[in-house]
Amino acid sequence: MVLPRPRAPLDLQQRPTPQPGAGQVLLRVRACGVCRTDLHVVDGELPRPKIPLILGHEIVATVEEGGARFASGARVGVPWLGWTDGTCRFCRSEHENLCDAARFTGYDLDGGYADYTVADERYCFPLPDSYDDLRAAPLLCAGLIGYRTLRLAGDARRVGLYGFGAAAHLIAQVAVQQGRRVFAFTKPGDTEGQRFARELGVAWAGGSDEKPPEELDAALLFAPVGALIPAALRATAKGGTVVAGGIHMSDIPAFPYELLWGERTVRSVANLTRRDGEEFLALAATMQIRVEARRFPLEQANIALESLRKGEVRGAAVLVP
Ligand SMILES: [Zn+2]
Ligand SMILES: [Zn+2]
């Protein structure tokens, strides 16, 4: 399924199977998650996608050939971070997520909305056996970026999650199993989403316009809505952190300095490092994370994207070739 240009529907095309280059593996795609970032790319909200482009950076696949790291038939995951130069100051200081030369899967590189793809084997992850293909796919971005977002919140005990979609439903369970108190904020009036959050063990669920029953030590934002920054600051205690986990956000409205005062911090999460991926997948293997995934056939990628846009997907949407 090919994006011919921004703001156009994906187009079903027949292409020859890609050939792996040096250090690359040829992968047969088993499942590929649909991420909010894919919608930002389709909508032209991110500046420089490869065009035409095959989207998809939550790829679960089996290795067909190529590379030296994995045996043929091994099951691997391919995330958003597809390549870095390994030489810049960011790469040399464990911040490869900030590499200026980085290439991203389903953005700079063709991704997983396809039967086959190729990937640099150094950026692939082995996957825990306890998650089947459909349920492993959302771990690769929603789970992984969610994990980095939670990690940047430090040891916060009371954690608010704004936007209860693919990332929040996974990371809520991780935070609960770590013994934190979790507060879920959905779109105002989304009682179904709030019920879903409570089912997953959160202490409280309500609308993003509501005040939680306790102050938060950290707020993690997974909805691309700038107005949530002041709302989250308002709910956060002194010394607390607001972390924006998304790649794109509408403008943040002006707010009184008082909301930031008291050593509150606002920061963003950009991409991931391989270390995040290894840590999170190891953690996921030891935890029981319920992954809510809705299956769409690959050729219905446009329908899956629109369902995600309308907020009709509970948990994560996953394409299966
Ligand atoms: Zn993503
Ligand atoms: Zn670099």
Side-chain angles (χ1 to χ4, degrees), residues 34-38 57-58 80 140-142 145:
V34 178
C35 176
R36 191 71 185 69
T37 297
D38 300 343
H57 57 268
E58 298 181 303
W80 170 246
L140 287 156
C141 184
I145 299 286

Side-chain angles (χ1 to χ4, degrees), residues 84-92 95-96 98-102:
T84 55
D85 58 20
T87 55
C88 73
R89 70 183 176 97
F90 296 115
C91 286
R92 284 187 280 110
H95 292 92
E96 63 183 2
L98 302 179
C99 178
D100 284 328

Side-chain angles (χ1 to χ4, degrees), residues 221-271:
L221 272 53
F222 296 112
V225 181
L228 289 176
I229 296 262
L233 276 170
R234 221 176 279 277
T236 300
K238 284 189 283 189
T241 307
V242 173
V243 192
I247 194 168
H248 175 83
M249 187 176 254
S250 56
D251 286 352
I252 302 165
F255 57 86
Y257 178 55
E258 185 198 337
L259 294 184
L260 189 61
W261 172 248
E263 301 198 339
R264 292 174 180 87
T265 306
V266 177
R267 68 176 300 175
S268 66
V269 159
N271 317 314

Side-chain angles (χ1 to χ4, degrees), residues 9 25 28 31 52 77 79 92 103 110 146-147 149 160 166 180 196 210 215 236 244 247 261 304:
V25 278
R28 184 172 153 225
R92 284 187 280 110
R103 293 179 202 150
D110 280 334
Y147 173 72
T149 309
R180 308 182 201 234
F196 175 44
E210 290 177 52
E215 284 190 303
T236 300
I247 194 168
W261 172 248

